[in-house]
Amino acid sequence: MTPPPPADIAMPSMDMPDIRPSLPGSYRTIAVPRAGGSVWKKMGAFAGPGYIVAVGYMDPGNWATDLAGGSAFGYTLLSVILLSSIMAMVLQSLSAKLGIVTGMDLAQACRAQYSAPVRVTLWIMCELAIIACDLAEVVGTAIALQLLFDIPLVMGVCLTAADVMLILFLQQRGFRQLEAFIVALLIVIAGCFAVELFLSKPDLAAIGMGLVPSASVVTNPAMLYIAIGIIGATVMPHNLYLHSSIVQTRSFERSERGKREAVLFATVDSTVALMLAMFVNGAILILAASSFHVAGMTGVAEIQDAHRLLAPMLGAGIASTLFAVALLASGQNSTITATLAGQIVMEGFVNLRVPAWLRRVVTRMLAIVPAVIVAALYGSEGTTRLLVLSQVILSLQLPFAVVPLVKFTSDRRLMGSFVNPHWLKFAAWAISAIIITLNLKLLLDFFL
């Protein structure tokens, strides 16, 4: 017989008795100082989930879209990165609030609230998004291995299957150790791009102009395609499921005061982490704009070409090496978060619990097969196009995660006093409308 949860743990009710804690091995394993404790200690206890989420906002798929956007259109699409980062901050804060207040992650909430046909549809759409994300990680890691060690693309894609062992090792070490590993890799990525930006000497005035939205982003089909790819690479649908689960690794007080503190600190954590992600995304686009676009190289969209050209363009051989190291760190980081998200989604939507290694192997094989085929038939050009396409697919999945999230957090019956205030409801639905409108525009341009 399963022992009852501790008295301070409010388990989800929602007339769904089979809903169990998300990620049970890590559920409420990280202690948070109780009432009257140090604010800084509480903030430190909550630091971590936001950085795990931020990893998905700077995965290899971002590199393809940011490089293509920067080389082709200069600094113009910086406004898209800024807008999508703000969207991400709002949506991730809602995701964290849902998990903290209800004790359910987004997938569990969908299972509790929707009929079987609806939740199965949502589950399938989310699985497609995770496969698209994993595809980007497979291709990105394979490209990094080729750049650093001259490993052929097809072999590099096959080697990515070995990261299953890394995932299992980190999960066995505990969730806090997993967070520390991810933060360390994020520091490597940010450090590499800080050096790259220093070497590239970008035009600060042009950067400022690029942050101002331009109508050409919508009217130019080629620019819109890349812009939607950037949004898809930045606002990751599976991250909304992930965040609502991993905030529950914190053992905070279940009183109203405890939940409000938890929501505040979780929001600060994710916002700061996503600002780091925005810096990395912006740095990639700025690097492409300042190194390639200004030199008339508007067709540099492949990661391999960018790596090859950076050293002569910037006058420093280390520039290319740093670029490849950051790409490898990005691919490995994203692999970890995709694994966690896949586990959460499968358990939440259909209450199907499978070993982490099996889940990882299945997801990775679904990504490896098309990546091997494209790499073998079309080489580096094909893999880069596959990266950009994967990000557009992610963007097309976004409404299926965003709409339920906004709906649930705006439902007073579900959220009680934590329901979204009117201004936040308006902002959240506006974000949803922007995403859906851009996707419809992309589909119309594609088919007409």
Side-chain angles (χ1 to χ4, degrees):
M1 181 176 179
T2 304
D8 66 331
I9 298 180
M11 298 295 292
S13 56
M14 301 301 300
D15 300 322
M16 293 290 291
D18 60 334
I19 289 184
R20 293 168 285 179
S22 186
L23 294 178
S26 304
Y27 183 73
R28 295 179 66 78
T29 56
I30 300 173
V32 175
R34 297 309 191 191
S38 168
V39 171
W40 292 108
K41 287 184 178 180
K42 289 182 180 180
M43 190 173 295
F46 274 98
Y51 293 89
I52 291 180
V53 169
V55 166
Y57 292 85
M58 57 183 89
D59 77 336
N62 295 68
W63 293 53
T65 53
D66 293 338
L67 282 172
S71 64
F73 307 112
Y75 301 95
T76 304
L77 292 179
L78 276 176
S79 60
V80 177
I81 291 179
L82 175 61
L83 176 63
S84 58
S85 296
I86 293 173
M87 290 179 177
M89 292 174 190
V90 173
L91 295 175
Q92 293 299 161
S93 68
L94 295 183
S95 175
K97 182 167 71 169
L98 177 70
I100 289 169
V101 174
T102 67
M104 295 183 292
D105 59 52
L106 180 56
Q108 292 173 331
C110 288
R111 182 155 62 94
Q113 295 289 300
Y114 292 136
S115 63
V118 173
R119 60 177 181 258
V120 168
T121 300
L122 293 176
W123 173 49
I124 293 172
M125 300 305 292
C126 190
E127 291 287 3
L128 289 174
I130 292 173
I131 292 170
C133 179
D134 209 46
L135 180 61
E137 292 148 15
V138 165
V139 173
T141 300
I143 291 174
L145 291 173
Q146 182 188 52
L147 298 179
L148 288 171
F149 308 111
D150 201 27
I151 296 175
L153 272 177
V154 174
M155 184 180 298
V157 168
C158 295
L159 286 175
T160 60
D163 66 18
V164 173
M165 301 304 297
L166 172 64
I167 301 298
L168 293 176
F169 173 75
L170 290 172
Q171 287 183 326
Q172 290 175 351
R173 299 283 295 178
F175 206 80
R176 205 57 164 161
Q177 294 297 318
L178 181 68
E179 291 175 345
F181 179 80
I182 285 176
V183 170
L185 288 181
L186 289 179
I187 292 173
V188 170
I189 296 169
C192 288
F193 278 109
V195 175
E196 300 270 18
L197 283 182
F198 175 78
L199 293 173
S200 67
K201 298 180 176 59
D203 185 339
L204 297 181
I207 291 174
M209 291 296 295
L211 292 172
V212 179
S214 169
S216 60
V217 173
V218 177
T219 58
N220 184 332
M223 193 179 296
L224 178 64
Y225 181 79
I226 299 296
I228 291 180
I230 290 175
I231 293 175
T234 304
V235 185
M236 305 286 277
H238 65 277
N239 268 347
L240 302 177
Y241 295 93
L242 175 66
H243 202 187
S244 59
S245 174
I246 60 177
V247 290
Q248 298 180 53
T249 58
R250 270 51 183 177
S251 181
F252 54 87
E253 292 185 58
R254 301 299 301 184
S255 63
E256 180 166 343
R257 176 182 176 182
K259 290 181 181 180
R260 290 200 179 279
E261 282 190 343
V263 171
L264 173 62
F265 291 130
T267 300
V268 171
D269 171 53
S270 63
T271 301
V272 172
L274 289 174
M275 288 177 68
L276 173 63
M278 181 173 65
F279 164 77
V280 171
N281 287 328
I284 298 171
L285 189 142
I286 291 170
L287 186 64
S290 59
S291 300
F292 308 133
H293 183 78
V294 297
M297 300 179 181
T298 58
V300 179
E302 295 184 21
I303 292 176
Q304 294 93 326
D305 288 342
H307 173 268
R308 176 174 53 84
L309 293 170
L310 274 176
M313 293 298 297
L314 300 183
I318 195 175
S320 295
T321 302
L322 288 175
F323 185 83
V325 169
L327 178 61
L328 182 60
S330 172
Q332 288 305 297
N333 244 351
S334 301
T335 286
I336 298 171
T337 59
T339 299
L340 289 174
Q343 181 181 347
I344 291 162
V345 165
M346 181 174 286
E347 293 179 1
F349 272 114
V350 294
N351 202 26
L352 179 61
R353 294 176 184 261
V354 298
W357 66 268
L358 179 59
R359 164 74 205 194
R360 185 59 191 158
V361 168
V362 172
T363 304
R364 179 47 55 104
M365 290 308 298
L366 289 172
I368 285 178
V369 172
V372 166
I373 293 173
V374 171
L377 295 178
Y378 303 105
S380 60
E381 181 180 353
T383 54
T384 299
R385 289 180 179 176
L386 197 60
L387 272 177
V388 177
L389 177 61
S390 72
Q391 301 312 295
V392 175
I393 293 173
L394 281 171
S395 187
L396 294 175
Q397 309 306 316
L398 269 172
F400 298 96
V402 172
V403 171
L405 175 65
V406 177
K407 178 179 179 295
F408 294 154
T409 54
S410 300
D411 185 349
R412 183 171 296 276
R413 182 183 62 87
L414 184 61
M415 301 296 292
S417 60
F418 293 88
V419 67
N420 293 336
H422 292 301
W423 67 268
L424 186 53
K425 288 180 185 178
F426 176 81
W429 284 119
I431 289 172
S432 304
I434 290 172
I435 291 172
I436 293 171
T437 300
L438 288 177
N439 281 319
L440 289 175
K441 179 67 166 62
L442 175 68
L443 292 174
L444 288 173
D445 288 342
F446 184 81
F447 288 109
L448 296 181

